[in-house]
Amino acid sequence: MVHRKMLADGVLLMALLIICMEELHCRAIQVDPPEEIKIIDHGHLGRLDITWTLPTSLINFQECLRYQVEYFNAYAKRWDVIRAPRRYFSAQFDLMKDIQIRVYTLLSGNCTNNTLIKSVNYTELVQKAPAAGQADAVKHLECVFHNMERLICKWKTVPANSQIYMYYWHNQLEKTQACPKYIHTNGVRSGCDFTGKPLPDFTDVNICVNGSSQEGPLRPKYTSLQIQNYVKPDPARKPSVMPVQGGRINVHWRKADGKLPEHCLEWEVKHTSEGTQYQSKTTPTMSTSLTLPTVGEKNCFAVRSKLNKYCAATSIWSEWSRRACILADNKSDSKF
């Protein structure tokens, strides 16, 4: 019995020694950061490829190397962090802002007995924004994807009498394209109409608006958007109203024609009543019909819609539909 206990204690001690030696071996490995970071610009309006060199001290551990990349996202105004299994990654940058990138080395797997070791230091690249132009080419650049069919981008030109150009790119294009059809205001380019020009959903569409004035080149404006997040539905058709039992009114409507999926829409119904006291109330719904109580002498209804959170990260409310009204004696008001 004593012999068995001594044998078990010896096995346990040997296991502890092995673990300790492995940990000491892991700690003895010096994990250096990459030696150099490079930016490759293919002319895709801010979509850049980032590469870095292998740490010379870890050339024999390549199968165990991973990397942690931190870069400043100028659009979101935050540092984003990703894990890269290879020595490159791609991201979107605002080319008129400083580009800031940091890369750490990660060592794990069989080389460290599945212990993750991160380099204490990082390699950093900072590329300063170019000094291009004394004034912005445009301000208030806004894009709206009308009914998921017509992308319209508009801007305010600064300064006046400028010559403005717009370019775009996405990953289904081999090279940058120019605006297919400019919108003009008082003879000056004030927007771009993409109607009839298909653009991909759930893919970054990179846009650059630049130009020149009598004083010289203007500072370009860069933006990147996924068009499904800029949808503004067309107004719904005028609702139909019908009295039902209990002094209530059933309101029913249909979405506007087009390819916009009905299951992607959420609605608001605006109920306005007129009588002894004016009242107005808005009710949210996911359905295209709603039953509401009668209030006052005349009840009027209008609806509007936007994409719900299951189909887009953000959306824009449509305009209100035409009103449909019904009088207290259950007769529709033809004037509306």
Side-chain angles (χ1 to χ4, degrees):
M1 187 71 177
V2 173
H3 177 71
R4 288 183 179 179
K5 184 176 184 304
M6 292 176 63
L7 181 61
D9 290 344
V11 172
L12 178 60
L13 179 59
M14 182 62 68
L16 290 172
L17 285 172
I18 293 173
I19 293 172
C20 182
M21 290 176 65
E22 288 179 341
E23 288 184 351
L24 289 173
H25 172 68
C26 291
R27 292 174 185 173
I29 299 174
Q30 181 177 344
V31 181
D32 294 320
E35 296 183 358
E36 184 183 14
I37 302 174
K38 293 183 179 179
I39 294 176
I40 303 173
D41 188 350
H42 300 284
H44 294 160
L45 308 180
R47 188 70 182 183
L48 304 178
D49 290 341
I50 313 300
T51 66
W52 50 89
T53 56
L54 178 74
T56 304
S57 60
L58 297 174
I59 195 168
N60 295 324
F61 297 88
Q62 295 188 47
E63 72 278 5
C64 299
L65 292 179
R66 300 293 185 270
Y67 302 91
Q68 179 171 306
V69 183
E70 301 175 358
Y71 67 97
F72 188 73
N73 185 334
Y75 293 110
K77 298 181 180 179
R78 65 169 185 251
W79 283 89
D80 286 347
V81 180
I82 66 166
R83 292 284 176 91
R86 298 177 179 84
R87 288 184 287 115
Y88 67 86
F89 87 109
S90 296
Q92 187 66 32
F93 293 87
D94 184 343
L95 297 184
M96 298 311 297
K97 304 289 180 61
D98 290 352
I99 296 173
Q100 303 175 71
I101 304 165
R102 301 168 180 168
V103 183
Y104 293 85
T105 302
L106 305 176
L107 190 65
S108 62
N110 296 330
C111 302
T112 64
N113 193 30
N114 294 319
T115 300
L116 178 65
I117 305 176
K118 176 183 174 182
S119 62
V120 175
N121 299 319
Y122 55 78
T123 299
E124 184 175 34
L125 182 148
V126 178
Q127 180 173 293
K128 292 294 183 180
Q134 299 299 315
D136 294 331
V138 297
K139 289 187 176 180
H140 309 299
L141 173 61
E142 295 182 349
C143 296
V144 178
F145 195 20
H146 296 274
N147 217 44
M148 294 190 76
E149 297 170 346
R150 311 176 304 278
L151 180 67
I152 306 292
C153 294
K154 294 183 179 180
W155 56 77
K156 180 180 179 182
T157 302
V158 180
N161 302 320
S162 304
Q163 187 63 39
I164 301 298
Y165 304 90
M166 177 176 176
Y167 302 92
Y168 70 100
W169 178 87
H170 53 77
N171 60 15
Q172 297 179 14
L173 296 176
E174 292 185 3
K175 59 182 181 179
T176 300
Q177 302 286 320
C179 168
K181 182 182 178 181
Y182 284 106
I183 301 169
H184 293 81
T185 302
N186 299 324
V188 178
R189 290 175 177 174
S190 59
C192 182
D193 185 348
F194 287 87
T195 301
K197 199 75 172 179
L199 296 170
D201 298 340
F202 302 100
T203 296
D204 289 337
V205 178
N206 301 337
I207 292 173
C208 173
V209 183
N210 60 21
S212 60
S213 66
Q214 295 177 351
E215 289 74 25
L218 299 173
R219 189 179 301 113
K221 171 70 174 180
Y222 289 90
T223 190
S224 182
L225 53 89
Q226 292 193 2
I227 59 175
Q228 80 278 355
N229 295 327
Y230 295 82
V231 173
K232 181 178 181 179
D234 286 346
R237 297 187 178 186
K238 178 182 176 180
S240 61
V241 292
M242 180 179 298
V244 294
Q245 292 181 348
R248 299 169 69 82
I249 302 170
N250 179 260
V251 186
H252 178 78
W253 61 91
R254 292 175 56 192
K255 76 177 186 69
D257 293 335
K259 69 174 186 178
L260 195 116
E262 188 165 336
H263 71 271
C264 283
L265 294 175
E266 62 179 88
W267 299 86
E268 278 190 349
V269 180
K270 181 165 65 175
H271 179 189
T272 303
S273 59
E274 300 178 13
T276 56
Q277 185 177 3
Y278 179 87
Q279 295 182 352
S280 182
K281 183 180 179 181
T282 302
T283 304
T285 179
M286 299 295 289
S287 176
T288 54
S289 64
L290 200 63
T291 300
L292 295 168
T294 301
V295 181
E297 299 176 0
K298 182 168 68 175
N299 293 263
C300 296
F301 303 90
V303 298
R304 66 175 183 173
S305 65
K306 69 174 182 178
L307 262 62
N308 59 46
K309 63 181 180 181
Y310 304 106
C311 294
T314 60
S315 184
I316 304 170
W317 281 109
S318 71
E319 303 298 327
W320 289 103
S321 69
R322 294 172 56 201
R323 292 199 311 168
C325 298
I326 188 169
L327 300 176
D329 57 6
N330 295 338
K331 295 180 180 179
S332 61
D333 191 336
S334 61
K335 293 187 294 181
F336 295 91

